[in-house]
Amino acid sequence: MWILNWLGLGGAKEDEAGTIRRIGAALEDLRKKDPVEASRLACFAYLLGRVALADHVLEPAETEQMRKMLGRHSEMDAGQIDLVVEIAASEGEQPTRNDEVIRIFADSSSEAQKLALVDCLFAVAAADKDIGEPEIKEIRHILDGLGLGGAALERVQRRHERFLVIEG
């Protein structure tokens, strides 16, 4: 659980040490320039992974969408993005400390950055052409933690509503 360790939220197991070193190296340049932005980006990646794995299936389209979102919202190169996506996807399977990650992201982000995250969460969820109940539940949990609502959020949701799957 490298992201949680990197954020100072948990200790790494011995077998995770190599992974932590790899991801730490990938983000270290950004961390030196702007530690708050590096932490925000780690949270961003973690939360993308949570939504991508909400239905317990990581589709190739979701992985590709995560890469696109990180490319758009970070200064990492393609190799760093691939590594972050790989790790975020594996982290997303471990739903521990989610609320703390959401809080760190919320505390370090403007409303525009929070809305951008929400747009990215919907884009990842819709990457396989449908947004199911597990993904909606995860997105709602993140939204609650971010304290978002109102007209701006409704606009983000409307952009992705064609992908919503109504289960009955």
Side-chain angles (χ1 to χ4, degrees):
M1 303 230 286
W2 78 267
I3 290 176
L4 298 177
N5 186 61
W6 194 78
L7 290 169
L9 296 178
K13 297 176 188 167
E14 195 62 36
D15 62 339
E16 296 172 320
T19 300
I20 292 167
R21 280 193 295 277
R22 286 190 314 151
I23 194 62
L27 293 176
E28 196 56 39
D29 286 342
L30 179 57
R31 185 184 230 176
K32 288 176 185 175
K33 293 178 199 171
D34 188 344
V36 172
E37 179 62 13
S39 177
R40 193 182 71 75
L41 181 60
C43 292
F44 185 96
Y46 178 89
L47 295 171
L48 289 178
R50 289 292 304 143
V51 169
L53 283 160
D55 59 1
H56 305 290
V57 177
L58 183 61
E59 300 288 344
E62 292 171 320
T63 303
E64 184 56 33
Q65 192 66 9
M66 289 171 66
R67 284 186 181 93
K68 286 181 186 176
M69 296 299 102
L70 286 168
R72 185 179 301 159
H73 294 278
S74 77
E75 296 178 8
M76 292 187 295
D77 64 36
Q80 292 170 323
I81 289 171
D82 287 344
L83 181 60
V84 169
V85 167
E86 172 191 337
I87 304 305
S90 67
E91 289 286 316
E93 295 175 341
Q94 307 295 326
T96 58
R97 318 286 298 260
N98 288 341
D99 292 338
E100 291 179 70
V101 174
I102 296 167
R103 181 189 49 76
I104 290 169
F105 185 87
D107 290 349
S108 64
S109 300
S110 67
E111 183 169 340
Q113 290 170 321
K114 292 174 188 177
L115 287 170
L117 170 68
V118 173
D119 196 33
C120 292
L121 295 174
F122 275 104
V124 167
D128 60 358
K129 305 298 184 223
D130 66 48
I131 303 174
E133 187 59 34
E135 293 153 325
I136 289 297
K137 184 178 177 185
E138 191 65 43
I139 291 171
R140 284 187 182 139
H141 180 77
I142 294 167
L143 291 175
D144 289 346
L146 295 176
L148 286 176
L153 178 58
E154 289 175 22
R155 283 193 302 275
V156 170
Q157 288 177 311
R158 275 196 302 273
R159 283 198 296 270
H160 302 282
E161 69 186 352
R162 70 186 176 278
F163 299 111
L164 291 174
V165 174
I166 308 300
E167 297 176 1

